[in-house]
Amino acid sequence: MQARWKRFLARFWEVAGGVPIRTKILGIVLGGTIFLSASVIYQLWQAVTRTMQQELEARGISIARDLAARATDPILVNDLYSLHQLVVDTRLNNPDIIYAFIVTPEGEVLVHSFQGGFPAGLVEMNTAQAEDHHRTVLLRTNQGLVWDVAVPVFGGMAGMARVGISIQRAERVFLGITSQVILTTLVVLGISLPSAAFLTFILTRPILELVEATRSVTQGDFTRRVRRWADDEIGDLADAFNAMTAELGHMDELRREREQLRRLLLEKVIATQEDERRRIARELHDSTSQNLTSLMVGLRMLETTCDDSRIRSQARELRAVAAQTLEEVHEISMRLRPRLLDDLGLSAALERLVQEWQARHQVAVDLLIHTGGGRLPDEVETAIYRIVQESLTNIARYAEAQSVSILVERRGNAIVAVIEDDGRGFDLDLIKKERHLGLAGMQERAELLGGTLTIESTPSKGTSIFVSIPVTEDSP
């Protein structure tokens, strides 16, 4: 029972909570007024009915007693004409009297006021038992409800006088009062409903303005302010909201400044990093590679001119070590900053990167590049190259893929790159929580140029990386 009651309350509050405040206030005013009017009508009906019943009963008793007193002599002398005239006069002198008649102690009707004949069964419907007391009863006749009053004549020895008094007068009075109450209710509703509507407007207008301002704040507009409509609680709420939005605007401005500083710093760090990589790669290529090449040439000459076989064998081994070192230096130089990226552009650099990666890891790579034939801005080419390079590195380390597909193309005002593999994939939510540095670096490179990077991965179903970086129309 308690659980059912709780469910009922929960359902009630769910329905009531979905009704607008204006409807609630208007409903309360309308319902309260109607309930008050109905209560007044009911109480008036009770009071008027009781009072009119008492009044009708007293009047009927008075008329019946008068009729009984005046009918004594005609009954005793058996003057039926005078007795009939007395009954008719009583009926005519009292418009609310429906009927009047006199019966003998044996129940025989002596005279009556009915014009169409005395109705059968009326005598049996009410017979006085006490000779010196009256008796009243409410009867339903063809003319409506009637108070039937019976008074004994001459102590009951001469018979009984009975009159029927209609309650239509009481009903008319009650209907008149009810009509007045209903009219008053309509007048009150005509005044209260517009007043309630105006009150709800005053109450809900500031709230609706607060709701609209809140929606603007959720969309990032912290300049929205609301008016203080009155010096009440809603006015205090408006002031508190304005103070809150001002503080949020200040904090958002600080956040934007910090974000701008972070972007500038990140841009500077990446630019410095690329410059340093370019310098180191150039040093490795121009200096270290040449030195290793010279060492290999010297060892070759030593190998061909020396007569000692042991020295020739050592020179051969050292030359092989130098050749391997030269290859590793070349590979490091390419990883740091490929010369092809600066000299020939993104397409050539990616083709070389994919060729070397495919040969090193023995994984099939499908590369497709459509950039329109021209060069892209240097920072865009560098970002795309680094993102593809980091993706291939992650595939080699973790994916255990059998094939890789790379697409780089220009679509309108953006350069798009898609890297897909059929490896084991990963849980993207877990990787985001762990803040993988490689993925974070790829994300930052794309966002730094106003682009986006989206990663889609499912365990055992591979990984897809979508990159889009805007490129202006006047870019080369």
Side-chain angles (χ1 to χ4, degrees):
M1 185 65 183
Q2 186 177 4
R4 183 180 300 176
W5 178 250
K6 289 183 178 179
R7 289 195 299 269
F8 172 76
L9 287 179
R11 178 59 179 170
F12 172 78
W13 286 116
E14 180 181 355
V15 175
V19 178
I21 294 179
R22 293 184 177 180
T23 304
K24 291 177 183 176
I25 296 177
L26 291 176
I28 291 173
V29 172
L30 181 62
T33 304
I34 294 176
F35 176 77
L36 179 61
S37 300
S39 301
V40 170
I41 292 174
Y42 177 76
Q43 293 177 5
L44 285 174
W45 176 76
Q46 292 286 340
V48 170
T49 301
R50 184 164 53 259
T51 302
M52 293 301 295
Q53 285 179 355
Q54 294 174 356
E55 180 184 345
L56 289 175
E57 184 178 3
R59 188 163 180 271
I61 293 172
S62 176
I63 296 173
R65 284 178 176 174
D66 180 69
L67 177 62
R70 295 171 60 187
T72 302
D73 292 339
I75 293 176
L76 293 177
V77 299
N78 198 23
D79 187 0
L80 296 181
Y81 176 80
S82 299
L83 190 61
H84 180 268
Q85 192 64 37
L86 178 62
V87 170
V88 173
D89 291 342
T90 301
R91 169 72 177 81
L92 294 175
N93 293 331
N94 299 279
D96 50 350
I97 294 297
I98 300 299
Y99 59 82
F101 63 93
I102 297 175
V103 297
T104 65
E106 292 78 15
E108 181 183 356
V109 179
L110 293 177
V111 291
H112 62 81
S113 64
F114 296 102
Q115 296 181 358
F118 189 85
L122 184 59
V123 176
E124 291 77 6
M125 295 177 69
N126 183 20
T127 303
Q129 301 296 327
E131 296 180 353
D132 56 349
H133 292 85
H134 66 273
R135 183 167 184 178
T136 60
V137 67
L138 187 63
L139 299 179
R140 182 176 297 277
T141 67
N142 56 359
Q143 297 185 11
L145 293 176
V146 175
W147 275 108
D148 185 87
V149 181
V151 174
V153 179
F154 197 63
M157 293 184 295
M160 183 177 294
R162 291 176 58 177
V163 296
I165 184 168
S166 174
I167 67 170
Q168 290 183 356
R169 177 170 171 267
E171 292 178 346
R172 287 194 297 270
V173 172
F174 174 71
L175 290 176
I177 296 175
T178 302
S179 301
Q180 292 179 359
V181 172
I182 294 176
L183 180 60
T184 304
T185 302
L186 294 177
V187 172
V188 171
L189 286 176
I191 298 174
S192 61
L193 287 180
S195 301
F198 179 71
L199 177 62
T200 56
F201 173 79
I202 294 176
L203 291 176
T204 58
R205 181 59 185 173
I207 298 176
L208 294 176
E209 187 174 347
L210 282 170
V211 171
E212 294 177 359
T214 304
R215 290 173 180 171
S216 299
V217 171
T218 57
Q219 296 175 357
D221 183 12
F222 300 105
T223 61
R224 184 69 179 270
R225 298 292 183 269
V226 296
R227 292 176 291 174
R228 181 183 178 94
W229 285 73
D231 295 331
D232 54 9
E233 292 82 355
I234 297 180
D236 295 338
L237 178 61
D239 290 342
F241 178 84
N242 291 334
M244 180 191 69
T245 53
E247 183 64 22
L248 288 175
H250 178 66
M251 294 178 63
D252 183 67
E253 185 178 355
L254 293 178
R255 183 191 62 81
R256 292 176 182 273
E257 291 179 357
R258 287 195 295 268
E259 181 67 19
Q260 183 66 22
L261 291 175
R262 190 191 70 83
R263 291 177 61 89
L264 293 176
L265 178 61
L266 181 61
E267 183 178 357
K268 186 66 176 177
V269 168
I270 292 177
T272 303
Q273 184 184 53
E274 291 297 331
D275 291 340
E276 186 66 15
R277 285 184 173 186
R278 186 182 291 107
R279 186 187 65 80
I280 295 174
R282 188 180 298 110
E283 290 291 335
L284 290 175
H285 183 272
D286 296 341
S287 179
T288 306
S289 297
Q290 291 181 5
N291 292 336
L292 289 174
T293 302
S294 299
L295 177 61
M296 291 175 62
V297 172
L299 291 173
R300 178 65 178 173
M301 293 178 61
L302 178 62
E303 181 183 356
T304 55
T305 57
C306 183
D307 296 333
D308 191 340
S309 59
R310 185 175 60 84
I311 295 177
R312 286 200 305 272
S313 176
Q314 291 179 351
R316 188 179 305 108
E317 293 176 358
L318 290 174
R319 188 163 59 84
V321 171
Q324 182 179 356
T325 304
L326 180 62
E327 182 65 23
E328 292 176 353
V329 168
H330 176 69
E331 182 179 349
I332 293 173
S333 176
M334 287 295 297
R335 290 183 180 179
L336 287 174
R337 181 71 182 185
R339 294 288 297 272
L340 289 176
L341 185 61
D342 294 327
D343 297 339
L344 300 179
L346 179 62
S347 298
L350 288 178
E351 290 175 357
R352 180 66 177 273
L353 173 65
V354 168
Q355 180 182 1
E356 293 181 352
W357 187 90
Q358 186 174 5
R360 187 181 310 111
H361 299 285
Q362 300 300 314
V363 177
V365 180
D366 182 17
L367 176 64
L368 185 61
I369 303 175
H370 295 291
T371 59
R375 293 290 301 270
L376 298 172
D378 181 66
E379 62 274 10
V380 175
E381 289 188 341
T382 301
I384 295 294
Y385 181 85
R386 293 301 183 195
I387 291 173
V388 174
Q389 186 183 41
E390 181 65 26
S391 300
L392 291 175
T393 302
N394 291 335
I395 292 172
R397 288 179 180 177
Y398 311 111
E400 300 179 1
Q402 300 299 319
S403 63
V404 179
S405 176
I406 301 174
L407 169 65
V408 179
E409 65 176 352
R410 184 162 182 171
R411 298 177 183 175
N413 294 333
I415 184 74
V416 177
V418 182
I419 305 100
E420 297 180 333
D421 68 78
D422 59 356
R424 60 182 184 179
F426 55 86
D427 188 346
L428 189 58
D429 294 333
L430 182 61
I431 294 297
K432 288 181 178 179
K433 291 180 180 178
E434 295 178 353
R435 189 63 179 172
H436 193 279
L437 294 179
L439 297 180
M442 295 162 58
Q443 188 87 31
E444 289 177 346
R445 282 184 179 274
E447 292 179 353
L448 188 63
L449 298 176
T452 58
L453 185 142
T454 305
I455 302 175
E456 297 179 357
S457 182
T458 304
S460 304
K461 294 185 179 180
T463 303
S464 299
I465 299 177
F466 302 91
V467 185
S468 177
I469 298 177
V471 179
T472 57
E473 289 291 342
D474 54 354
S475 299

